[in-house]
Amino acid sequence: MQIYTPSIAEQNAAKKVTISSAKIIQKHFQKAMANFNELNVENIDWTMFLQNSEKFIEKYEFYILINCICEEEIGAAKLCQFVENRIRLQLVYDIDGNGGIFEAHLYPNIYTEKCEIAEKILETSFSKNFCKIWLIGVNSIASIDNIKKCLPLFDLSIRRAYLRYNPVQKQEGNIQNIEDEFDKLKFKMQSVAMTKRQMKELDDEH
């Protein structure tokens, strides 16, 4: 399946599409076609119609907030860039690979770079000075508890990969406690699952 971006110059973005996001794209096409077939196209105000789009935080049953938090700006730039580049890969391995019970859609932009949300939902042993949060919408035949069970492995995989490519010592060894290593670096990378209602309340507050 080829997927072209609407911007100029166009690019084929198919390599960024996961199994579950492909299902979501197909469902949106079907929904759009059904809505289009119900319209009186001769009298429609296309400007109003196209502006009346559904907000991302209203589309899905559940949401995952991927938090990258650091005390120092240099560390934030390095860690958060790595996390951003790694999210889609871990979605394929740790979320998509759960027997098809999840359909996950990564919001295309950074959800926020402000630390107010991180202050509210996560605790750290250091000051939350630099933050980036990405948002994933999830439809699931399972409950939010099933999503929460997937997140520790999802987070651990990203943390472990970061330390593998950015060893804290000259001789890279077996890291017994990755969480402790991140604390020493004054880093926090953790994902949090929420229902649509919880996500909307959080978004309204900020």
Side-chain angles (χ1 to χ4, degrees), residues 51-132:
Q51 287 178 348
N52 189 25
S53 59
E54 190 177 19
K55 292 183 178 179
F56 189 83
I57 61 169
E58 297 173 352
K59 287 184 177 182
Y60 300 99
E61 301 171 61
F62 309 108
Y63 291 87
I64 300 171
L65 290 91
I66 303 173
N67 301 272
C68 175
I69 307 165
C70 303
E71 185 171 278
E72 303 294 335
E73 185 174 7
I74 294 177
K78 192 173 184 180
L79 173 65
C80 295
Q81 184 62 54
F82 184 89
V83 172
E84 184 171 19
N85 292 338
R86 191 80 183 187
I87 289 173
R88 285 187 176 86
L89 180 63
Q90 293 310 139
L91 272 177
V92 172
Y93 288 149
D94 299 327
I95 306 296
D96 278 6
N98 275 276
I101 64 173
F102 301 125
E103 292 179 359
H105 179 192
L106 176 64
Y107 184 64
N109 303 313
I110 294 172
Y111 176 59
T112 183
E113 294 187 64
K114 298 179 180 179
C115 290
E116 287 88 345
I117 289 178
E119 286 281 4
K120 190 166 186 177
I121 63 177
L122 289 174
E123 294 183 359
T124 63
S125 60
F126 54 85
S127 298
K128 301 181 184 74
N129 295 330
F130 299 94
C131 303
K132 284 189 179 181

Side-chain angles (χ1 to χ4, degrees), residues 5 13 25 33 73 77 85 89 95 121 137 148-149 198 205:
T5 59
I25 290 170
M33 181 58 71
E73 185 174 7
N85 292 338
L89 180 63
I95 306 296
I121 63 177
K148 289 179 178 179
K149 288 177 182 177
Q198 291 171 326
E205 291 174 2

Side-chain angles (χ1 to χ4, degrees), residues 124-188:
T124 63
S125 60
F126 54 85
S127 298
K128 301 181 184 74
N129 295 330
F130 299 94
C131 303
K132 284 189 179 181
I133 300 178
W134 297 267
L135 187 62
I136 299 174
V138 181
N139 283 333
S140 175
I141 59 175
S143 68
I144 192 170
D145 290 333
N146 294 93
I147 298 173
K148 289 179 178 179
K149 288 177 182 177
C150 297
L151 296 185
L153 178 59
F154 178 85
D155 292 344
L156 179 63
S157 298
I158 295 177
R159 294 188 203 122
R160 182 186 289 131
Y162 177 82
L163 291 176
R164 184 168 64 247
Y165 292 112
N166 300 276
V168 294
Q169 299 176 348
K170 291 183 179 180
Q171 297 295 326
E172 183 178 3
N174 293 323
I175 299 172
Q176 299 298 319
N177 194 323
I178 292 175
E179 190 70 36
D180 285 348
E181 293 295 338
F182 265 57
D183 281 342
K184 291 176 185 177
L185 295 168
K186 298 182 179 179
F187 290 170
K188 183 83 170 182

